[in-house]
Amino acid sequence: MRRMSFAEKAPASIHNKLDLFGREPARFAARAVMAGLYLSIMTAFAASTATLVEAAAPEWGKYAFGAIFAATLYIIIVLQGELATGDMMFMTYGAVHRMNTVWRGLLIIVFVTAFNLVGAVIFSWLISTTTIAHDVSLNGGFLHDLLSDKLTKPSVTLFFEAILANIVVNIAFMVSTQAGKDYSAKLWGVILIIPAFAAMSYEHSIANFVLTSLGGFIIGPDAIEGFTVGNVLRNWGIVWLGNLVGGGLIMGGIYGWLNRTSTDYKD
């Protein structure tokens, strides 16, 4: 199977996003909601597993969480859900190559972010009514500690960790894009990279939508340090901006510029 370069594949992906958003925004929104669904299911599964691992082997729960969480991006890629943090790279890349304007790209990113949030809230609530919620509801459990840590981080730390998180996420997007229709290669490209940011507790805005929704519905805001409306919005806003820098300016911007070369040296 011939390797499909990112420079060849990215324009087609960007065209599809622009076309669907422009002509059938409801379907574009539905794909973003579905990404929220996939994230909610897999995050709840990862948190439940991490809780059990942490009880048996303290400090190892985060690695179990990261390993399972990696499957989420694979599902989103294969089922073509719309994830705002990936669109940050694609829309910036498209702007560099003059496929879309900066403002249209930003509009699409905000649009997808909003519907990622809708999916995260709806399906996190649904999961909170099921049996698995009991596994992650114990005060002092993995989800509680993870959320408390995220909600008490200084804003500067959140911002820089968000930059790094979306660099990692979009490395996985780039690698999987180049795998073409080789789904085994896509899987390896994701599972070897994504645990890096999940296990190190780097900050991903859409994942944080899910984590705070799950924590709020399952554990309750009063039991989680720093869980106030203002502080949650601080986390979401700063992390979103950091993700935009990491996935947009750094990954989308730099590789967009690199691939405008007149030579054959393209990614």
Side-chain angles (χ1 to χ4, degrees):
M1 181 180 294
R2 188 180 76 86
R3 173 183 175 271
M4 179 71 73
S5 73
F6 186 74
E8 293 174 296
K9 184 66 175 176
S13 296
I14 295 167
H15 170 76
N16 287 340
K17 294 173 187 293
L18 294 169
D19 190 39
L20 190 61
F21 176 71
R23 297 172 59 192
E24 298 182 0
R27 286 188 169 85
F28 198 68
R31 288 189 178 275
V33 171
M34 294 303 289
L37 163 61
Y38 307 144
L39 267 169
S40 298
I41 291 174
M42 295 306 295
T43 300
F45 175 41
S48 176
T49 304
T51 299
L52 297 175
V53 172
E54 194 72 14
E59 304 300 324
W60 283 88
K62 62 184 179 181
Y63 297 107
F65 181 87
I68 295 172
F69 187 83
T72 307
L73 186 61
Y74 177 73
I75 294 169
I76 291 172
I77 289 170
V78 172
L79 298 183
Q80 299 187 75
E82 285 295 328
L83 189 65
T85 47
D87 285 341
M88 289 173 180
M89 177 182 68
F90 283 108
M91 291 300 106
T92 305
Y93 188 98
V96 172
H97 286 265
R98 298 176 183 173
M99 296 182 65
N100 57 272
T101 64
V102 171
W103 293 113
R104 186 165 182 79
L106 187 59
L107 176 61
I108 287 175
I109 294 167
V110 171
F111 182 89
V112 174
T113 299
F115 284 98
N116 285 162
L117 176 59
V118 169
V121 172
I122 291 174
F123 292 105
S124 291
W125 171 80
L126 186 61
I127 290 167
S128 75
T129 67
T130 65
T131 305
I132 197 173
H134 175 73
D135 295 333
V136 297
S137 64
L138 299 177
N139 188 34
F142 180 82
L143 180 61
H144 172 275
D145 293 346
L146 179 63
L147 265 177
S148 294
D149 177 62
K150 287 180 176 293
L151 293 174
T152 55
K153 285 181 182 178
S155 296
V156 173
T157 302
L158 285 174
F159 183 70
F160 287 124
E161 290 191 347
I163 292 173
L164 293 170
N166 213 22
I167 289 173
V168 174
V169 168
N170 282 291
I171 289 172
F173 267 114
M174 288 186 68
V175 171
S176 64
T177 296
Q178 296 185 63
K181 294 187 178 298
D182 187 338
Y183 292 102
S184 295
K186 287 180 183 288
L187 178 60
W188 280 109
V190 170
I191 65 174
L192 291 175
I193 297 168
I194 293 302
F197 100 80
M200 291 189 289
S201 296
Y202 286 169
E203 300 292 333
H204 184 276
S205 55
I206 314 306
N208 285 1
F209 290 170
V210 172
L211 286 167
T212 49
S213 298
L214 284 171
F217 290 130
I218 294 174
I219 301 172
D222 293 340
I224 302 171
E225 184 180 359
F227 201 121
T228 64
V229 172
N231 197 38
V232 167
L233 292 177
R234 175 188 73 94
N235 177 285
W236 288 358
I238 292 171
V239 171
W240 189 90
L241 290 172
N243 288 166
L244 185 61
V245 172
L249 297 182
I250 294 177
M251 295 301 292
I254 290 176
Y255 277 94
W257 176 75
L258 287 173
N259 285 347
R260 289 195 67 178
T261 177
S262 58
T263 72
D264 292 330
Y265 195 172
K266 299 180 181 179
D267 297 278

